[in-house]
Every structure is written in structure tokens, then in C-alpha cells.
């Protein structure tokens, strides 16, 4: 790998990874993308140019078929730029959306990596920074295809599911 600067597109859709705490009512909600302020500003990425594309701000439990169609259409549109793509997504239905994109698009022109978090950014024990960092590197290193990157593992889509007992993802 050389030291040239590479563009990576991040499409944000919401999910736990982007939930923020409201100190006035004690709620955790998706209120628009916080990825740039909370995470990317703290990362050292001298050879990566991040382009954030906020698409949705939704808990994945509430995602609809039309949301998944919008995500697939956005991935298809953004891959025309020729840069790897990372999709930030809620973990509850992330594998469903990744499989939907796989069925709609087939093999994409670039690597498309889905990731999320079990604990929101900004919480001391959050896995968000780890998962985003690993997804960015996965997107830069893998051949074109759909992947889920989570907790130091990379899974080929389809045939990936969330294991709620273990709090992570696995192949099946």
C-alpha cells in the first residue's frame, strides 16, 4: 500500500452508532449525523479523505423497505465516484439492509462496508470508534463486494446475522 490519499465515502443512516444523549430529558435519539464531530475529528487519517453523505437519521428497527431501497439507490449512485463506501447503520437490521443492497446491485464497483455500534459514540465503553476505524480500513483493502465489518471481523454479505446473545455479528 502506498501513501497516496484515498477518498472514502461514508453514508450515514442513523442507528445506535449515531445516537446522541439529550441531557434535558435523558433520551438517546438519532438527531442527525454526529460522525464528523464526535469521531472523525479525533482520528488520525492523513492518507484518507472522508466524504460524509448524511442520508437518514433512523433507528434501524424502524427502517422500511423504502428506506432500504433509498440506501441501495444511494450506494449505487455513490459508487460511480469509484471510491470505497462505508455505510453506518443500526445493528438490529444492518444485515437485512446489506443483503437488500446485495440483491439489488449484485457485485458493486467498489467495496461497500456496513458497520454500526452496540453502544453510542460518546459513551466511554462505546465500540463505535473501533468499528468505524476497522470499516474504513476494510473498505480500503477489500475487493469490490458487500461486507459487514464489526468487532475486528469482516463478513461477506449475504449470510451474516446479529447474534444478540453475544452482542456481535457472525456468519451462518
Amino acid at each position: 500500500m502506498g501513501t497516496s490519499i484515498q477518498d472514502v465515502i461514508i453514508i450515514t443512516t442513523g442507528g445506535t452508532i449515531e445516537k446522541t444523549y439529550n441531557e434535558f430529558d435523558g433520551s438517546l435519539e438519532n438527531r442527525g449525523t454526529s460522525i464528523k464531530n464526535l469521531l472523525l475529528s479525533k482520528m488520525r487519517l492523513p492518507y484518507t479523505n472522508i466524504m460524509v453523505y448524511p442520508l437518514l437519521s433512523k433507528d434501524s428497527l424502524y427502517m422500511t423497505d423504502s428506506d432500504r431501497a433509498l440506501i441501495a439507490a444511494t450506494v449505487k449512485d455513490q459508487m460511480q465516484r469509484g471510491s470505497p463506501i462505508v455505510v453506518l447503520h443500526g445493528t438490529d437490521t444492518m444485515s437485512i439492509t446489506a443483503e437488500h443492497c446485495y440483491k439489488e446491485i449484485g457485485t458493486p464497483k467498489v467495496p461497500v462496508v456496513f458497520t454500526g455500534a452496540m453502544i453510542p459514540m460518546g459513551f466511554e465503553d462505546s465500540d463505535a470508534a473501533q468499528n468505524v476505524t476497522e470499516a474504513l480500513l476494510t473498505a480500503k483493502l477489500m475487493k469490490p463486494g458487500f461486507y459487514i465489518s464489526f468487532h475486528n471481523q469482516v463478513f461477506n454479505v449475504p449470510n451474516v446475522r446479529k447474534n444478540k446473545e453475544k452482542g456481535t455479528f457472525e456468519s451462518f
Side-chain angles (χ1 to χ4, degrees), residues 18 21 37 41 55 97 103 109 122 124 129 135 146 161 172:
E18 290 204 286
Y21 178 70
N37 295 338
S41 63
L55 184 62
T97 301
K103 288 175 184 167
K109 296 179 180 181
E124 191 174 314
F146 286 101
R161 67 177 167 224
F172 66 92

Side-chain angles (χ1 to χ4, degrees), residues 99 155-161 170-172:
E99 281 202 37
F155 304 96
N156 289 303
V157 173
N159 304 322
V160 183
R161 67 177 167 224
E170 62 190 13
S171 297
F172 66 92

Side-chain angles (χ1 to χ4, degrees), residues 93-106:
T93 64
M94 181 164 61
S95 59
I96 295 167
T97 301
E99 281 202 37
H100 178 87
C101 290
Y102 170 79
K103 288 175 184 167
E104 284 290 310
I105 298 169

Side-chain angles (χ1 to χ4, degrees), residues 72-108:
T74 303
V75 165
K76 197 171 189 176
D77 183 53
Q78 291 296 316
M79 75 180 177
Q80 303 309 316
R81 296 174 183 244
S83 298
I85 297 171
V86 171
V87 179
L88 302 185
H89 197 288
T91 60
D92 286 311
T93 64
M94 181 164 61
S95 59
I96 295 167
T97 301
E99 281 202 37
H100 178 87
C101 290
Y102 170 79
K103 288 175 184 167
E104 284 290 310
I105 298 169
T107 302

Side-chain angles (χ1 to χ4, degrees), residues 13 17 50 64 79 117 141 147 151 162 164 166 168 171:
T13 68
I17 195 165
I50 304 292
T64 64
M79 75 180 177
L141 296 178
Y147 305 94
H151 294 160
K162 181 177 180 180
K164 291 183 181 180
K166 291 182 178 178
T168 194
S171 297

